[in-house]
Every structure is written in C-alpha cells, then in structure tokens.
Amino acid sequence: MNNLSIKKKLLIYNILIQIIILGVFSFSLYKTLEISSLDKIKSTLKIVLLDVVDDIIDHKDQLTQDIFHEEIEYKFKPLFIRLLQVDEKVTKINGTKFPDIFKYDINKLHSLKKDIIYFERNDTYVLSKMKITLDEKTYVVEVATDYRVLNSTFENLFYILIFIVPIILIFSIIGGYFLIHKSFLPIENILISLKDISAKDLSKRLEINNNKKDEIDLLRQEINNLLSRLDNSFEKISQFSSDASHELKTPLTIIRGEIEIALRKDRDKDDYKKTLSTCLDEILSIQETVNDLLFLAKNEFSTENIDTVIYLDEISIDSKKELENFAKMKDIQLILEINEPLEIKGEAKLLKIALKNIIKNAIIFSHDKSKVLIKNYILNDKIIIEVEDFGIGIDKNNLKMIFEKFYRVDKSRNKHSGGTGLGLSISEKIISLHNGKIEVESTENKGTKFKLLFHR
C-alpha cells in the first residue's frame, strides 16, 4: 500500500468501504425483514389462538365436534390447530392434522402457566400455545403454521441481493473513480505547472480564480506566496553576490597590489608598517561592507516585528550619546531638541540603526567645528525626526540617487571620507518598513536636512 499513489489508495479504500456498507446494509435488510415477518406471524398466531380459545369456551360442551374454522375465517394457510387435555396423560380432544415434529411432552405441558401464550420455532414451523381451565379440567390449545413460504421469499431476497449488490458496487467504484479523478485533476495541473518553474526562473505563478472557499484555489495562492518568498530570497542572494563582488573587488585588488609591491624586495620597517596599515584599512572597509550587506539580506528584516510601541525621544537620545565620541573627532557639536515625547509602533533597534546612519552621514560631511541639529516634533499630523548639518551639501542632480546602494557622488560621498555607501539605503528600507518616508533638502556648501516622517 505504501508504494501506491494516493489516487489508487483512495480507490481501494472506496471499494473496501462500499463493500462493508453494502454488506452491512444487505445483512441488516435481510435480518430486519426476517424479524419483522416472524413478528407478524406471531401476532397473527396470537390472534388466531385467542379466537380458538373463545370458540372452545363458547362450545365447551361440543369440544369433540368440528368447531375450528379459523383457517377459512382468517384466510391464513397453512394453519394447524389442536386441543389437548392434560392430566396424568396427554389426550388429543380435537383439531386438524398437526405437524409430527411437535410431539407431546407431558412435563413441558404441565410446566406451562395458565392464560399465558408461549411460542416455539424450528426450521419449518412456528407454534403458539396456551394453557386454559374448563370445568376444572386442564387443556392446552396449540396453533401452528408453516413459514416455508417466507423462507422461499427470504431465499429469493438473498439471491436478489447477491445479484444487485455487485452491480451497485461496480457503479459505486466507477463513480468513486470519477470523483477521485476529478478531485485530483487540479492537483495534477498544479504539479504540471510547478515542473515548469525552476530556480533559474521563479517569476512564473499558478493561475488562481480568487475563490476563497475553494481549497485548491487557496492551495494555489499559498504556493504562489511561497514562490514569491523564494523568489525574493533568491533575489536577495543574487543581489548580495552581485553587490559583494562589485564592492569587494577594488579593496581586494588594493590589498593584493600592496602585498606584491612589499614582497618584490626587502624594505625597512616603516614601509612594511605602511603596507600593513593600508591593508588593514581595506580589510576594515571590507568587513563593514559585508556587515551592511548581510544586514540588508537578513530574512527577519520584515514587518512582522513592527508592532511594538516605541518612544522616539529615547531613540534620538540614545543615538546622540552613541555618536558623540565620533562627532568629537571632527569637533562637531550634536544638538538635540525634543518638544514633547512622541511614540509610534515599530522596532526600536532597527529605527535607531536608521537614525544613527543619517546622523553619522551628517557628521562625516559637516565642516569641522560646526554642528548637527536633531529635532523631534509634530507638523500637520506627521511625527518628524529631523537631522540637519551645515556641511558640503549634495548637488541637486545627485539628490535622488543617494539612497541607491554603493552610490557616492564625487564631492560628498567619496570612499575616503568613510562609509560603504549602504547606510542611506539601509535607513530608507527601515523607515519604509515603519510606513514612513525620508525627505531630503540640500544646498551645496550650505548643508543638508533629512526628515524622517511617520504617521501618528
């Protein structure tokens, strides 16, 4: 059974269940009719027996004469009647010819209770009897009938069932096979469609009818959702590989060139230190790039965790504290202005990363001994975090491209000034996950203003 397909298993189960159901139904029908017919015979014999007893009481002085006409009266054939007198021995007083199978048993007759009807049954006959007392004499009235006609009817019913049940079973199997085939046809179509989808091309999707009550359609929707997640994951992996190879090629080339130059001839200690220092800078750059790329590619980087109430004043305060030492290196003053505590639903850790990236950018591209302003406020039903620097600014032609990965403009985003070119890309992604957006205003040689806008 384990090696069979589900369709074949269901067909076998259907056949077995149908056989059991039809078998139980046939047996129940046969036994019900048999019991019902037997009860009907007993009821008729009871009526006849009581009528015979009434005749005996009415003709108690003529018991040896022909007084039993119940067979004609009830039109019930065959009907056997006899009247027995029971004392020290059993004597037949009157009656029709009685089946020989019912012998006199004086002990049994004496054991009968008066005015109670008893029934006996064998393979051919059904017997009813009752003990009565007339003129201080004890009599037993017996009425019997042959139910071989019923046996013949039951035998015919048995043969009919044997003939009909297989026919019903055949039609049931055909119907079951048709239903199974029709039920599995959509699944087979799904399998055929899935065979055309490979890791190289996950853009294809299964056709759906948007029927919310159709389980197969729901299955197609879930498969499409799974394919979308896989496609997104493969795209992230592909993008990570492309970004990593693009961004790591230059520092690795520099490291290789520095080492090759250093190994061409013996050099003094300072030259080796200079080479190692250059290699270390490039390695740190590689490490920072890889960390940023991994952060962008993380699967848990989704809206599932954006459901906790967070306080923006705490995030702004923590971001300022963590970057104060970095700002001191350029003698830049960080100024924080908070008008009132503001809160949104989000993920505090991610939002702090986004804000720190923007503040760090502001510090890097500010003029020495200047300042960076960080403000939290509400304007036109929008919650805003504003970061403003007074540095070299960004050209208008390059303003729209600053959120692209690895993008650096010549004046304000050169590699030697620090960063990997991924910070703003990471920030934009985090803010969008919080259903917010980033607005940028910049003037060359005057400064740049970033606004993080959230819904209240």
Side-chain angles (χ1 to χ4, degrees), residues 53 60 96 114 122 177 184 189 285-287 294 332 407 430 451:
V53 171
K60 59 182 179 179
T96 61
K114 291 180 182 180
N122 55 39
Y177 178 79
F184 274 81
N189 292 334
S285 174
I286 291 172
Q287 184 180 16
L294 287 173
I332 291 174
Y407 183 80
I430 292 173
K451 289 182 180 180

Side-chain angles (χ1 to χ4, degrees), residues 309-367:
V309 174
I310 57 174
Y311 298 94
L312 297 183
D313 54 320
E314 293 180 359
I315 292 172
S316 298
I317 292 169
D318 290 343
S319 299
K320 174 181 176 293
K321 285 182 179 179
E322 292 176 16
L323 289 173
E324 279 181 341
N325 289 332
F326 183 72
K328 286 179 181 178
M329 294 172 62
K330 293 189 65 176
D331 199 12
I332 291 174
Q333 184 181 6
L334 297 181
I335 301 172
L336 178 61
E337 297 179 7
I338 299 176
N339 295 331
E340 59 181 302
L342 303 174
E343 62 182 46
I344 63 170
K345 281 190 176 182
E347 214 288 318
K349 183 179 178 182
L350 289 179
L351 200 56
K352 188 162 73 171
I353 290 172
L355 182 57
K356 284 177 63 178
N357 282 340
I358 292 173
I359 296 173
K360 187 176 180 182
N361 254 27
I363 294 170
I364 291 172
F365 302 111
S366 292
H367 296 300

Side-chain angles (χ1 to χ4, degrees), residues 148-272:
R148 280 178 292 185
V149 177
L150 279 177
N151 284 344
S152 176
T153 302
F154 291 144
E155 187 175 342
N156 291 335
L157 175 63
F158 177 75
Y159 288 122
I160 289 171
L161 290 175
I162 285 180
F163 176 73
I164 290 178
V165 166
I167 295 176
I168 296 174
L169 184 61
I170 290 171
F171 280 104
S172 175
I173 292 170
I174 294 172
Y177 178 79
F178 175 77
L179 288 175
I180 292 170
H181 176 72
K182 291 294 289 182
S183 299
F184 274 81
L185 188 60
I187 296 177
E188 291 176 351
N189 292 334
I190 290 174
L191 292 174
I192 293 171
S193 300
L194 287 176
K195 287 179 181 179
D196 295 333
I197 300 174
S198 63
K200 293 181 180 179
D201 183 13
L202 291 172
S203 61
K204 294 182 180 179
R205 296 293 182 267
L206 302 176
E207 293 184 5
I208 57 175
N209 301 319
N210 292 320
N211 186 350
K212 295 182 179 180
K213 294 184 178 180
D214 185 355
E215 289 79 2
I216 299 296
D217 212 43
L218 292 174
L219 176 62
R220 290 194 186 100
Q221 292 178 20
E222 289 304 315
I223 290 175
N224 284 343
N225 292 337
L226 175 62
L227 289 172
S228 297
R229 292 194 294 271
L230 288 174
D231 191 17
N232 187 42
S233 297
F234 275 99
E235 186 179 349
K236 283 183 178 180
I237 293 170
S238 177
Q239 187 65 46
F240 177 84
S241 301
S242 175
D243 292 344
S245 61
H246 170 270
E247 190 64 17
L248 300 181
K249 186 183 296 182
T250 300
L252 288 174
T253 302
I254 294 172
I255 292 172
R256 179 179 176 180
E258 289 289 332
I259 293 173
E260 286 178 348
I261 291 171
L263 292 176
R264 282 179 185 174
K265 63 179 181 178
D266 292 337
R267 301 179 184 277
D268 57 31
K269 191 164 105 173
D270 291 337
D271 289 335
Y272 284 124

Side-chain angles (χ1 to χ4, degrees), residues 1-17 180 184:
M1 285 287 286
N2 292 332
N3 296 326
L4 298 176
S5 65
I6 295 177
K7 290 172 66 176
K8 290 181 179 179
K9 287 180 181 178
L10 288 176
L11 185 60
I12 291 172
Y13 293 148
N14 175 58
I15 293 171
L16 292 175
I17 291 171
I180 292 170
F184 274 81

